Amino acid sequence: MRQLIVMPHAEQSIYAVAEWISSQNLPHTGLKFTDDVEAFLLRHCALESLQFPLCKNERLSKRKFSCLIYKRKWVIAFKYSSTTLTVHQFIWGPKLK
């Protein structure tokens, strides 16, 4: 299983979204969001043999990031090796255009 590493910028973005969700809904919904994101990433870390293509976004692919789409709204930009999956950015999808 790959080790999951979340860089500070990505972590701040995830927590900012969770705070916004909490302010719009019940307070525990933000915590549920962060738990769901973590579980989503851990499921992908467990698949050691899985290879990820580069992002379709030109700016992200130039930086050699691979991308995962979370809940059809969020783009998770990361780099991976056989032992680690390092999340560098957590971006709202429409912001990429």
Side-chain angles (χ1 to χ4, degrees):
M1 184 166 145
R2 292 179 176 130
Q3 177 186 5
L4 176 63
I5 301 169
V6 181
M7 299 302 283
H9 180 71
E11 187 175 28
Q12 290 171 355
S13 297
I14 293 168
Y15 286 137
V17 172
E19 285 180 24
W20 181 81
I21 290 172
S22 290
S23 71
Q24 300 298 310
N25 300 308
L26 298 172
H28 71 278
T29 55
L31 180 60
K32 183 180 180 313
F33 177 81
T34 57
D35 290 345
D36 288 347
V37 171
E38 182 181 10
F40 176 80
L41 290 169
L42 288 174
R43 277 194 306 270
H44 286 84
C45 283
L47 305 171
E48 290 178 19
S49 62
L50 192 60
Q51 300 291 316
F52 300 98
L54 292 178
C55 297
K56 291 182 180 180
N57 180 277
E58 186 178 329
R59 182 177 60 92
L60 296 175
S61 65
K62 281 183 181 178
R63 296 183 65 193
K64 306 286 188 228
F65 287 142
S66 296
C67 289
L68 288 172
I69 306 300
Y70 176 69
K71 292 195 175 184
R72 292 192 253 171
K73 294 181 186 176
W74 304 99
V75 176
I76 301 170
F78 63 95
K79 291 184 179 180
Y80 69 98
S81 69
S82 60
T83 58
T84 62
L85 188 142
T86 306
V87 178
H88 289 271
Q89 296 184 16
F90 187 80
I91 308 162
W92 185 48
K95 191 175 182 179
L96 285 175
K97 295 180 181 180

